[in-house]
């Protein structure tokens, strides 16, 4: 498709299980972002990729969170040993290049994670 | 930590009225962007204003930027019920990571 695609759109998991969230950015976009949004809250930055490297992973909340990007395209966000406080919408976004030089970013519809 | 802080947190107006939302930020920026979010899902880009610009228009949207006060405002004129959404400002800091940092948003309700 033409937009950023995320899967799954909804995921319910038991506390302690691992989850993987997938993001397919817009073709040709070099920059890719993961954000987290709890109910009624703002967007919390998690990690930023430029190509396959992550120059800024300062937002990952703990070592249970990791992300990778392969082939400069698809990215996977992995949460190990999920906790109830991990419940949120995880939003992926991509841009042609850096937003610092004026590129806008395009968001997917998000993956809603519920940890029970 | 949040870079931008929107004000007010919530705004309720009648259709046809204008809505003004403000954003303050802390560091020097390259540009500031406004986004809209419906129903807690994906955000949609509305408008970008560069640090050397003071005002920008797009349809019923008007954005101003005051770098001396580190603030921006988004004005929606002649609001419609369909404008009901949350609005976020986002910035990229100069000299730092290229990450786009969002504020907490203003929830706008336009009553028909």
């Amino acid at each position: 498709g033409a937009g950023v695609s995320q899967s799954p759109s909804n995921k319910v998991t038991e506390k302690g299980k691992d989850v993987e969230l997938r993001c397919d950015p817009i073709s040709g976009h070099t920059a890719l972002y993961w954000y987290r949004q709890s109910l009624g809250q703002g967007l919390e930055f998690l990690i930023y990729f430029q190509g396959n490297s992550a120059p800024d992973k300062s937002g990952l909340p703990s070592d249970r969170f990791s992300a990778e990007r392969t082939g400069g395209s698809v990215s996977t966000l992995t949460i190990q040993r999920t906790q109830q406080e991990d419940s949120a919408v995880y939003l992926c976004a991509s841009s042609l290049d850096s937003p610092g030089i004026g590129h806008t970013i395009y968001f997917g519809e998000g993956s809603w994670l519920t940890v029970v | 930590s949040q870079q931008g802080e929107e004000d007010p947190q919530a705004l309720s107006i009648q259709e046809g009225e204008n809505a003004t939302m403000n954003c303050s930020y802390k560091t020097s920026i390259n540009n500031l962007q406004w986004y809209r979010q419906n129903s807690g899902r994906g955000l949609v880009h509305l408008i970008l204003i560069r640090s050397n610009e003071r005002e920008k228009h797009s349809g019923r949207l008007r954005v101003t930027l005051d770098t001396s006060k580190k603030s921006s405002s988004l004005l929606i004129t002649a609001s419609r019920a369909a404008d009901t959404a949350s609005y976020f400002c986002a910035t990229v800091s100069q000299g730092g990571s290229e990450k786009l940092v969002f504020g907490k948003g203003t929830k706008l309700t336009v009553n028909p």
Side-chain angles (χ1 to χ4, degrees):
Chain A
V4 177
S5 178
Q6 291 188 246
S7 61
S9 55
N10 289 283
K11 175 75 175 179
V12 179
T13 190
E14 291 181 352
K15 178 180 171 181
K17 301 279 190 184
D18 297 352
V19 295
E20 282 190 354
L21 307 176
R22 176 188 167 105
C23 174
D24 264 295
I26 294 172
S27 178
H29 280 196
T30 62
L32 185 147
Y33 302 81
W34 283 99
Y35 291 89
R36 178 170 74 172
Q37 185 178 32
S38 300
L39 188 64
Q41 300 299 309
L43 274 74
E44 177 187 4
F45 168 80
L46 297 179
I47 188 170
Y48 156 63
F49 287 94
Q50 183 63 253
N52 289 337
S53 64
D56 192 337
K57 54 179 78 172
S58 62
L60 294 177
S62 75
D63 59 8
R64 296 187 296 105
F65 287 73
S66 63
E68 64 175 13
R69 189 178 185 194
T70 55
S73 181
V74 172
S75 177
T76 301
L77 177 69
T78 301
I79 309 172
Q80 296 178 309
R81 305 181 302 282
T82 52
Q83 303 293 313
Q84 287 184 329
E85 61 262 28
D86 299 335
S87 297
V89 175
Y90 289 82
L91 292 160
C92 177
S94 71
S95 63
L96 188 61
D97 204 323
S98 164
I101 56 174
H103 290 279
T104 60
I105 70 175
Y106 298 86
F107 280 84
E109 287 300 301
S111 292
W112 186 280
L113 175 65
T114 303
V115 182
V116 297
Chain B
S1 63
Q2 301 289 347
Q3 159 76 316
E5 294 289 338
E6 288 88 344
D7 165 52
Q9 291 185 345
L11 180 62
S12 181
I13 59 174
Q14 296 300 122
E15 225 172 8
E17 293 180 339
N18 296 341
T20 299
M21 290 159 272
N22 303 299
C23 168
S24 59
Y25 55 91
K26 298 174 184 173
T27 65
S28 296
I29 59 171
N30 288 327
N31 62 67
L32 186 144
Q33 305 183 26
W34 283 91
Y35 286 78
R36 166 194 167 124
Q37 183 181 40
N38 291 341
S39 305
R41 300 301 276 203
L43 282 74
V44 175
H45 176 259
L46 294 176
I47 197 165
L48 178 151
I49 186 165
R50 299 183 189 279
S51 59
N52 60 353
E53 296 176 311
R54 292 297 167 258
E55 188 171 311
K56 204 160 184 180
H57 297 255
S58 176
R60 293 184 296 112
L61 306 180
R62 172 179 169 246
V63 168
T64 62
L65 179 65
D66 186 335
T67 52
S68 66
K69 294 181 180 178
K70 292 187 168 57
S71 68
S72 173
S73 67
L74 170 67
L75 169 68
I76 304 175
T77 60
S79 63
R80 306 166 182 168
D83 294 329
T84 295
S86 290
Y87 293 82
F88 295 86
C89 68
T91 58
V92 177
S93 297
Q94 279 184 354
S97 161
E98 293 296 319
K99 67 186 179 192
L100 195 61
V101 179
F102 286 80
K104 295 182 180 179
T106 292
K107 183 173 174 60
L108 173 66
T109 303
V110 182
N111 301 299

